[in-house]
Structure formats: C-alpha cells, structure tokens
C-alpha cells in the first residue's frame, strides 16, 4: 500500500481519540522515557494498536504515543523509537514521525543518548545538536518515490537556529552548562572502536549515537522545525580506558534524565 494511504490509515485510527492537534512531536531517547513524566497525559496509544506501526524492542524503550500537554503546549510524545539496528528499514523508522506530522505536528524535539567524542564533555552533560553527520550508510528517503521528495533535499539549516537560541537562553536561565556540537549517527548495534572514534573526532563530530539522523531527515523533508538534544551517557570508545556497556547507557540516562526533563519543559514553556 502507498505510503500516503498508510499514513492516512494510522491518522484515521488516532485522530478520533484526540481533542486537540499535537503541535509538537517529542522523541524520547534511550533511558529517557522518564521524560514522559513531563506530559500531562490525555490520551495513550500503543504502537502495536496503530496500523502499520512497528513496535520498538530496544532496551530502555517502551512503545507508545502519549498525547497531552507540556509547558502549556499540545504535544505528542514518542515513548520509544524505532532503530535501524533492530532490523527496521530506514523508511520504517520515520513512519511514526510522518504520522505525527500528518496529525499536525510542525516542530520536532528529538532526544537521544550518545557517547561523548568531544574531550571537553563529561558524562551526564547535555549537548544541543547544532548539526549532524549521517554515517549510518543509509537514508530514509529516496528521490522520486512515494515520500514526496522530488529534488535533492537541502540540509543547510536543518536544526532551527531560532529553537537553538531559545534552548541556549533557557539553559542560561536554569544555570545549566549546555554543551553544543555535531551528532554523528551510526548504524550500530556494536559500539564503535577507539579508532573509529578518533576518526569521527577529526571529522568534527562531538557525540555519537545510533538514532536521530533518519528522523531529522524525514522531519526536514516535512518542513518541520527541529530541535535536538543528546544526553552524554558515556564517553565514546577509547576516551577512557574501560569497556562500554548498554547498561551503563541506560543507567546514566536514568540518572541524568531530570536535567533533560527540566530543559525540555523550559524550552516548551518558552516557545
Ligand atoms: N556509541 C553509540 N551510541 C551510543 C553511545 C556510544 O558510545 N552511547 C549511547 N549511545
């Protein structure tokens, strides 16, 4: 079935349950599903009940949409995202976002857990994403297919400068030492080698993770305003002389989630 028909079917399932248009789509990263506590929830829809939604099996991810309010704004929160490393096709990972956009969301606030490449970062820091490098070797969009891409997609101003300014100001107000930099997206599911991390640092990457870039590409095609934050859950491979683990990522994310929660709430309230 054509993409637009699948989107319409998912929208037709969700829309009658809503009393309001969700203006903001929020994606909660690994271990950050606690951010959902921010939402004054009105409606919960499980991915498994929505036509054509794949379910998320990644650690630290639930798998449902929360509709409600954060900071006085009408939001749809993806509690659990779909990853490429779970065997999803790149285009499948962005379907939920395309549905939220069709429901009316014009702004994407995306969060993730990431490894710190920038040697000035510390575990527990939050990084404002100013740009990204898609090193997954894949892409969720294809020119001329059903997604409506008919020319090469411009990526120059992908991360909204206006939203970045708001985030910086909110961080100052909160006394938060907000880092900023370039997020490099890899496919996973292995962590990187120390040699890869050294190479990524030379390329100008500040943090590395296994998500976000596909969602941002699809959101940019949809004309959405995009704001992204990475929680530095660990220093990337080889920075410290110790192995990495997924457990560490989830534990640190849970530990530092409060800061991210406060920042996202502050930004939404300020918009
Ligand atoms: N590498 C890739 N993805 C990640 C990392 C990392 O070090 N930490 C959290 N997600």
């Amino acid at each position: 079935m054509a993409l637009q028909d699948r989107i319409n079917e998912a929208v037709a399932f969700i829309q009658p349950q809503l009393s309001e248009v969700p203006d903001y789509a929020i994606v909660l990263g690994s271990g950050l599903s606690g951010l959902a506590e921010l939402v004054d929830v009105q409606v919960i829809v499980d991915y498994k009940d929505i036509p054509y939604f794949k379910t998320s099996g990644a650690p630290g991810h639930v798998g449902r949409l929360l509709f409600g309010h954060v900071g006085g704004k009408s939001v749809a929160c993806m509690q659990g995202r779909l990853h490429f490393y779970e065997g999803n096709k790149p285009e499948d990972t962005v379907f939920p976002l395309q549905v939220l956009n069709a429901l009316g969301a014009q702004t994407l606030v995306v969060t993730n857990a990431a490894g710190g490449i920038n040697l000035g970062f510390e575990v527990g820091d939050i990084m404002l994403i100013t740009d990204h490098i898609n090193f997954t070797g894949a892409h969720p969009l294809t020119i001329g297919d059903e997604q409506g891409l008919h020319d090469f997609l411009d990526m120059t101003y992908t991360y909204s400068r206006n939203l970045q300014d708001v985030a910086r100001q909110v961080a100052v107000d909160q006394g938060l030492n907000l880092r900023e930099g370039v997020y490099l997206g890899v496919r996973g599911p292995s962590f990187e080698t120390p040699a890869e991390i050294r190479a990524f640092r030379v390329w100008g990457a500040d943090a590395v993770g296994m998500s976000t870039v596909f969602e941002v590409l699809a959101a940019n095609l949809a004309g959405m305003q995009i704001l992204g934050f990475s929680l530095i859950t660990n220093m990337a491979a080889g920075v410290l002389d110790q192995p990495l683990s997924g457990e560490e990522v989830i534990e640190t994310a849970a530990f530092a989630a409060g800061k991210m929660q406060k920042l996202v709430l502050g930004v939404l309230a300020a918009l």
Side-chain angles (χ1 to χ4, degrees):
M1 190 186 288
L3 175 65
Q4 195 56 53
D5 294 331
R6 280 180 282 137
I7 291 174
N8 291 347
E9 219 176 294
V11 166
F13 176 78
I14 298 168
Q15 209 160 36
Q17 305 181 48
L18 307 181
S19 55
E20 232 178 326
V21 170
D23 294 317
Y24 296 83
I26 306 177
V27 183
L28 305 181
S30 298
L32 291 168
S33 60
L35 277 172
E37 285 162 21
L38 282 177
V39 188
D40 169 15
V41 180
Q42 278 156 350
V43 177
I44 299 179
V45 188
D46 285 328
Y47 292 175
K48 65 173 170 38
D49 297 328
I50 307 172
Y52 308 107
F53 261 54
K54 303 261 194 268
T55 49
S56 168
H61 286 262
V62 188
R64 54 190 195 168
L65 294 175
L66 306 176
F67 294 90
H69 291 106
V70 177
K73 304 295 188 299
S74 175
V75 305
C77 204
M78 281 183 63
Q79 196 178 24
R81 59 147 57 92
L82 306 175
H83 296 86
F84 191 25
Y85 62 67
E86 293 171 276
N88 295 301
K89 291 189 188 143
E91 54 269 40
D92 289 339
T93 67
V94 301
F95 182 71
L97 196 67
Q98 290 166 327
V99 170
L100 294 181
N101 177 247
L103 283 165
Q106 297 295 329
T107 302
L108 169 66
V109 180
V110 60
T111 67
N112 58 53
I117 295 179
N118 186 318
L119 298 172
F121 290 178
E122 285 169 25
V123 171
D125 279 347
I126 298 177
M127 183 187 87
L128 171 67
I129 304 176
T130 56
D131 205 346
H132 80 220
I133 296 171
N134 175 9
F135 193 62
T136 61
H139 205 291
L141 310 172
T142 305
I143 282 194
D145 79 357
E146 42 181 17
Q147 303 197 70
L149 181 60
H150 303 298
D151 190 5
F152 297 113
L153 181 64
D154 178 51
M155 294 294 291
T156 311
Y157 304 114
T158 301
Y159 292 86
S160 160
R161 292 177 172 187
N162 178 38
L163 293 179
Q164 288 181 50
D165 284 343
V166 172
R168 288 186 190 103
Q169 186 55 51
V170 169
V172 169
D173 294 346
Q174 294 184 351
L176 173 73
N177 183 8
L178 183 63
R179 312 290 190 162
E180 45 185 87
V182 174
Y183 175 90
L184 184 142
V186 291
R187 183 188 193 285
S190 59
F191 285 117
E192 301 68 41
T193 64
E196 286 166 343
I197 294 302
R198 287 193 298 273
F200 296 161
R201 187 177 299 121
V202 172
W203 291 357
D206 297 288
V208 58
M210 303 175 193
S211 67
T212 304
V213 292
F214 291 166
E215 292 148 1
V216 165
L217 288 161
N220 190 32
L221 175 63
M224 296 175 81
Q225 297 287 305
I226 299 164
L227 177 66
F229 296 113
S230 293
L231 177 64
I232 307 300
T233 52
N234 57 283
M235 292 313 289
V239 173
L240 307 174
D241 192 9
Q242 61 187 46
L244 306 188
S245 80
E247 267 167 46
E248 176 194 7
V249 169
I250 304 292
E251 276 166 24
T252 312
F255 175 73
K259 260 200 304 192
M260 181 73 94
Q261 207 160 312
K262 195 170 161 203
L263 177 62
V264 171
L265 174 62
V267 168
L268 284 166
L271 290 172

